[in-house]
Amino acid sequence: MDIGPILAAARLSPTLLTSDDGRVDGDAFQHFIHLLCHESDNPILGLETGDFVQPGSYSVLGYITMSCATLGEAVACITPFEKLVGDMGITHITTDDDQIGLVWRCAYTDPTVRPQLVDNVFASWINYARWLADNQTACPVRVNLERRSPGAEQEQAYTERWRCPVHFEAGENAVFMDRRLLSMPLRQPDSTLRKTLETHAQNQLTTLDTDTALTTRVKHGIQQQLLHGITRQDVIAEQIGMTSRTLQRKLSQEGVSYQKLLDEVRQAMAEDYLTNSQLPIPDIALRLGFSETTSFHRKFKSNTGRTPGEFRQELVG
């Protein structure tokens, strides 16, 4: 594909991509991936692009993990430094007696982008871990994906790459591995270099405006709240470290309002649920914080010209 017009449509400068220090705004990146998905018309674009991961793909975090002694050390570096990679999502690590789980909560709400981004992140993780350990046979115990299956033929592409069961329409996006893999030695440990890189990473974190734009941070907070069916501006303001009134003023300075961001996130999540789940429409309305299903129908139709049911039926048709 000719990438130039896609970059131009997303208002991204090609010169920015050649800079090691350059950063792409989260909304612009999401728009770019949306355009890329549309242009490629590839239902497993995210999975396939994961084949091209390199240490530099993860910024300084990639080089920190390269200098770790074991896979367990590398995994432990994800949470404290993943903001340096981008604002795409947050990793939560779970453990039990036999397994460790990497649960990834995608911050992006575009229903076209979200499943592809999750696929890309997991494909990149698995490929990069194999490269770090110099072990191409290592594989997860299983992978859970919230997205719908892309079809039986395409499902094979996942199992061929990951060599484990892949569960679609799961309740979370997660990679599970045997705890014994954490002791797997990596190819080029260097404790001195690691300490130097971690100091550099900490300095970058202190100068990095957390989660880039304020609107991106607010949208992410709204999304996390809506996962529990609530929408409270005061709670989000507190999470960001300001009063509700200050948040309103700063958003106004950026030309938006809390309600506008709430409406945008609700609409994106509604389309995501309708596209990638079998949840009944009343349940979707409840999850999005609507007290009545009719209110959800009315809002959705005013945004799209179609009811939620009509929107879902068009996807099936």
Side-chain angles (χ1 to χ4, degrees), residues 140-187:
V141 174
R142 71 182 187 281
V143 176
N144 290 351
L145 297 173
E146 291 177 338
R147 66 167 294 170
R148 282 182 176 179
S149 166
E153 182 178 346
Q154 301 287 8
E155 279 188 23
Q156 188 175 349
Y158 292 81
T159 55
E160 285 179 352
R161 283 171 169 80
W162 297 345
R163 297 193 291 277
C164 71
V166 179
H167 303 291
F168 295 91
E169 297 190 54
E172 62 184 1
N173 296 304
V175 177
F176 296 92
M177 69 180 91
D178 192 308
R179 282 183 67 97
R180 290 173 294 184
L181 285 179
L182 296 181
S183 60
M184 184 182 297
L186 303 188
R187 60 167 71 198

Side-chain angles (χ1 to χ4, degrees), residues 20-135:
D20 291 337
D21 299 322
R23 294 185 69 85
V24 177
D25 174 74
D27 288 339
F29 182 61
Q30 185 172 202
H31 183 45
F32 171 71
I33 299 300
H34 181 100
L35 296 171
L36 201 62
C37 292
H38 181 268
E39 184 70 18
S40 67
D41 194 27
N42 181 355
I44 57 170
L45 177 68
L47 177 71
E48 292 185 344
T49 51
D51 293 343
F52 300 93
V53 65
Q54 298 177 0
S57 304
Y58 296 119
S59 184
V60 69
L61 174 57
Y63 300 110
I64 290 174
T65 54
M66 281 178 62
S67 62
C68 290
T70 66
L71 184 60
E73 287 184 6
V75 168
C77 292
I78 294 175
T79 302
F81 296 120
E82 67 182 335
K83 281 184 180 178
L84 294 176
V85 181
D87 66 350
M88 293 87 70
I90 298 173
T91 305
H92 175 63
I93 300 176
T94 63
T95 59
D96 60 29
D97 293 338
D98 302 317
Q99 295 180 6
I100 180 171
L102 301 179
V103 182
W104 196 62
R105 296 175 180 141
C106 183
Y108 289 3
T109 55
D110 186 310
T112 299
V113 172
R114 187 179 173 89
Q116 302 298 341
L117 197 57
V118 173
D119 284 359
N120 174 267
V121 167
F122 285 2
S124 299
W125 280 356
I126 294 168
N127 284 333
Y128 187 56
R130 287 169 174 165
W131 180 85
L132 280 176
D134 197 16
N135 185 340

Side-chain angles (χ1 to χ4, degrees), residues 250-266:
K250 287 184 175 292
L251 288 176
S252 178
Q253 290 171 351
E254 295 194 14
V256 295
S257 66
Y258 178 83
Q259 185 61 49
K260 182 176 184 294
L261 297 180
L262 173 60
D263 290 343
E264 289 177 0
V265 174
R266 269 179 165 168

